[in-house]
Amino acid sequence: MPIRTRNRSLSVRSKKDSSSEKSAPKHRFTMASLRGIQQPDLSKKLYKIIKSENHAIGAYESAGRERVAIAQQLSEWGESTGDDAISEVSDKLGVLMAEIAEQEDLYAQTLEEYRGVLKQIRNTESSVQPSRDHKAKVSDDIAKLKYKEPQSTKIVQLEQELVRAEAQSLVAEAQLTNITRQKFKEAYDIHFAATIERAEKQIILAKQARRMLNLLDDTPIVPGDTHPAFEETDAARQVLNNAEDQLRNWQPNLEPIHTNAGSLGVGATPGGGLTGNGNSIYESEVGHNANLQDHPAYREKTARSRSGSGERRVASGGSSGSSRLGGEVQPPYPMTEAERREVEHAGVI
């Protein structure tokens, strides 16, 4: 993880000639829309996580800005006390507190990168949803046709289409699980590494702040006496220098996150898969039907679908998937009243 450098100031006290100027607060761009409702079912939960993380990042940034403001207020209060020791120590503490707040902002920036990786999983889930929907639709069409017109020749065509849809789904699901596992580890590797970096750097700053406090003599005095002049100005500056050096020399000491995802090809499958043109998974698979005919699942399912399915339907006089209760054929899917009257009129029931 790269080490960030900073431009440290020896004071956070505001200048008198610019005290009336206030920096404009940063506002995060948010959009209240129906985008969450329009998300495919498969990606809705992750969409909510990503959106919630966006609010959390905004809270970290807001907290950092508030802590910087508090550090400045502390310094200005110390100056107003008229106590040279309090003034010097509070000013240097304000510098350290502002640097602690800066770590919150850097942490929020890294969390944005973590959110970006989660979005890759969400986009893949959105791409797989059409493949699942198409497969389910073909299955429903076959079930309805077998019930209404069990001898229709269109059933064979739909069964072949279902074989293609299942082959497409196999590839899409493999890509989904590969990308999900890889990007899940990558995202939370970034997340927790940033959490450790923020914590360890804030510990460094907090320890130096405690050393700064030890420079203040709090020995009680009797009325009429005064504390001796503050002689720790150089020591206070040295505390700041030590804090800066420790931050500059900080190195991450993390347990590595192991990954075996290096063998994934362009299509997020070992060897490259069938995609890689930048389209969604479903769109890419539909455009490669010729390749899918060589898929093992396609050959196996096609052989089964052509093994006399039409003859079995003629011989049995109905669909092999239907059941008879009380002499009546029950449809394999929910029927509306209009569909039931249509079937009764055709003489099926």
Side-chain angles (χ1 to χ4, degrees):
M1 182 173 295
I3 300 176
R4 301 181 177 90
T5 59
R6 60 195 180 91
N7 185 12
R8 177 179 58 81
S9 172
L10 293 177
S11 175
V12 293
R13 202 159 286 164
S14 61
K15 301 296 185 289
K16 299 300 182 182
D17 56 353
S18 62
S19 59
S20 60
E21 297 180 2
K22 295 183 179 179
S23 59
K26 294 188 295 183
H27 295 284
R28 296 184 60 81
F29 178 77
T30 59
M31 179 183 297
S33 66
L34 299 177
R35 185 178 301 168
I37 301 177
Q38 296 171 352
Q39 288 288 319
D41 292 340
L42 188 59
S43 59
K44 277 185 177 180
K45 292 185 181 297
L46 189 54
Y47 172 84
K48 291 181 180 179
I49 293 176
I50 294 171
K51 186 175 182 180
S52 298
E53 285 286 6
N54 190 45
H55 296 321
I57 291 172
Y60 284 122
E61 292 177 341
S62 178
R65 291 192 297 270
E66 293 295 332
R67 299 304 300 178
V68 170
I70 291 171
Q72 182 174 341
Q73 293 167 11
L74 173 65
S75 177
E76 293 174 351
W77 166 82
E79 185 181 27
S80 68
T81 62
D83 188 327
D84 291 341
I86 290 290
S87 177
E88 185 68 20
V89 172
S90 65
D91 190 37
K92 297 301 184 287
L93 281 180
V95 173
L96 293 171
M97 291 173 62
E99 195 62 38
I100 291 175
E102 178 68 15
Q103 298 304 317
E104 295 293 333
D105 188 63
L106 297 176
Y107 179 59
Q109 294 177 22
T110 308
L111 289 185
E112 284 287 3
E113 181 183 354
Y114 142 78
R115 284 184 69 245
V117 178
L118 288 183
K119 288 179 181 179
Q120 297 181 44
I121 302 177
R122 181 202 62 191
N123 294 340
T124 304
E125 290 178 339
S126 300
S127 297
V128 171
Q129 187 69 56
S131 176
R132 291 187 177 183
D133 294 343
H134 177 63
K135 177 182 173 182
K137 180 180 182 302
V138 175
S139 298
D140 291 343
D141 290 344
I142 292 176
K144 291 180 179 180
L145 197 58
K146 282 184 176 180
Y147 182 73
K148 291 183 178 180
E149 302 178 38
Q151 300 183 12
S152 174
T153 57
K154 190 178 179 181
I155 294 178
V156 177
Q157 298 176 0
L158 288 176
E159 288 179 340
Q160 294 175 356
E161 177 64 23
L162 179 60
V163 171
R164 288 192 293 269
E166 289 176 343
Q168 295 164 7
S169 180
L170 285 176
V171 178
E173 296 294 341
Q175 290 174 328
L176 174 60
T177 187
N178 290 339
I179 291 177
T180 298
R181 293 189 175 214
Q182 177 190 10
K183 297 304 178 180
F184 179 81
K185 293 182 71 173
E186 180 181 342
Y188 282 95
D189 179 15
I190 295 172
H191 184 291
F192 295 124
T195 302
I196 293 173
E197 178 180 358
R198 178 191 61 161
E200 292 183 352
K201 288 186 176 181
Q202 288 183 339
I203 287 173
I204 290 173
L205 294 166
K207 286 182 176 180
Q208 294 297 339
R210 291 174 64 85
R211 293 187 178 96
M212 186 74 70
L213 283 175
N214 279 328
L215 301 179
L216 181 64
D217 182 13
D218 60 349
T219 303
I221 60 173
V222 297
D225 287 348
T226 58
H227 283 288
F230 185 69
E231 299 179 352
E232 302 293 343
T233 301
D234 292 339
R237 291 187 178 182
Q238 186 59 44
V239 170
L240 293 184
N241 291 334
N242 293 341
E244 184 175 19
D245 292 339
Q246 288 183 4
L247 288 181
R248 183 185 300 112
N249 297 327
W250 178 87
Q251 294 289 339
N253 183 19
L254 305 173
E255 180 179 351
I257 302 298
H258 304 287
T259 177
N260 297 317
S263 61
L264 286 183
V266 178
T269 56
L274 297 178
T275 64
N277 54 7
N279 296 333
S280 68
I281 292 175
Y282 175 66
E283 292 171 347
S284 300
E285 298 310 326
V286 169
H288 287 83
N289 282 341
N291 292 337
L292 288 172
Q293 292 178 2
D294 297 329
H295 197 285
Y298 179 86
R299 293 196 300 267
E300 179 181 354
K301 291 180 179 297
T302 303
R304 289 202 301 265
S305 66
R306 293 176 178 175
S307 59
S309 57
E311 290 79 3
R312 288 198 301 272
R313 287 193 298 270
V314 173
S316 61
S319 172
S320 59
S322 61
S323 60
R324 292 182 178 273
L325 296 176
E328 181 176 312
V329 179
Q330 300 298 323
Y333 63 95
M335 292 183 63
T336 63
E337 188 62 29
E339 289 178 329
R340 183 172 292 278
R341 286 196 299 268
E342 178 184 350
V343 172
E344 291 175 350
H345 184 268
V348 177
I349 297 181

